[in-house]
């Protein structure tokens, strides 16, 4: 038996089994091989990789010899400049946490209150959506996003 990958003139792809290559040729010439989607008799073979079965009489594949691993230093996934940048961002986060009040999701509200003189000015940090942050900037309120660390997102 032979399995062929076929397609019709409309681009529909499908597979079909035939007793032999000659059988496919005879059936195709007689218009008996048709697309199961659109019933078109204009069908052509597609390129496909052969499917080879393992013969039981063949010896088992030989495993490739393992090469000795050199005793080198492990390769770092993070470069030194990136490690330094991460350390600076972490230090910035720690400084903000020590010197400012965390207001959580009330950041935009608290920032507006301070800007318009409703509450005393102080250093704050918290969360704001992109829409809220844009609105604060459009109102002339000075805000600065804190860069996040890759570790914080994992």
């Amino acid at each position: 038996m032979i399995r062929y990958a076929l397609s019709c003139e409309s681009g529909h792809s499908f597979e079909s089994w035939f007793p032999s290559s000659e059988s496919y040729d005879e059936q195709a010439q007689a218009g008996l091989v048709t697309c199961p989607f659109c019933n078109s008799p204009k069908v052509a073979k597609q390129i496909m990789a052969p499917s080879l079965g393992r013969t039981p009489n063949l010896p088992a594949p030989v495993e490739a010899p393992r090469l000795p691993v050199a005793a080198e230093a492990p390769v770092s996934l993070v470069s030194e400049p990136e490690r330094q940048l991460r350390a600076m961002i972490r230090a910035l986060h720690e400084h903000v946490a020590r010197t400012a009040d965390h207001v959580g999701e009330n950041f935009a509200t608290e920032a507006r209150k301070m800007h318009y003189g409703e509450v005393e000015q102080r250093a704050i940090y918290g969360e704001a959506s992109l829409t809220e942050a844009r609105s604060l900037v459009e109102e002339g309120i000075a805000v600065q996003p804190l860069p996040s660390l890759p570790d914080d997102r994992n």
Side-chain angles (χ1 to χ4, degrees):
M1 291 292 283
I2 296 177
R3 179 182 61 158
Y4 284 122
L6 307 169
S7 69
C8 73
E9 63 183 350
S10 299
H12 300 122
S13 296
F14 57 99
E15 295 179 347
S16 190
W17 289 88
F18 298 91
S20 66
S21 175
E22 296 79 22
S23 175
Y24 166 79
D25 294 335
E26 291 171 6
Q27 291 181 41
Q29 287 176 358
L32 299 175
V33 180
T34 59
C35 174
F37 302 101
C38 65
N39 209 31
S40 170
K42 294 185 180 178
V43 173
K45 294 181 200 174
Q46 298 300 303
I47 297 174
M48 62 184 287
S51 177
L52 303 175
R54 180 158 154 65
T55 305
N57 296 337
L58 294 178
V62 178
E63 186 175 321
R66 296 184 184 260
L67 299 175
V69 178
E72 296 178 15
V75 176
S76 175
L77 296 177
V78 180
S79 67
E80 186 57 32
E82 185 175 349
R83 193 179 343 270
Q84 291 173 358
L85 178 62
R86 287 181 183 200
M88 288 188 291
I89 293 172
R90 190 170 287 109
L92 175 64
H93 278 259
E94 290 169 1
H95 174 75
V96 168
R98 276 193 319 271
T99 60
D101 294 331
H102 184 259
V103 294
E105 294 179 4
N106 297 327
F107 179 80
T109 303
E110 289 298 312
R112 280 190 180 92
K113 286 180 183 178
M114 286 189 293
H115 181 74
Y116 294 113
E118 297 172 20
V119 296
E120 183 180 330
Q121 293 277 332
R122 68 190 196 284
I124 62 170
Y125 72 103
E127 294 82 38
S129 69
L130 183 57
T131 304
E132 290 172 325
R134 279 190 184 132
S135 180
L136 291 170
V137 170
E138 288 170 359
E139 290 179 48
I141 301 171
V143 294
Q144 180 65 45
L146 283 174
S148 62
L149 291 166
D151 299 341
D152 297 340
R153 292 178 287 191
N154 291 335

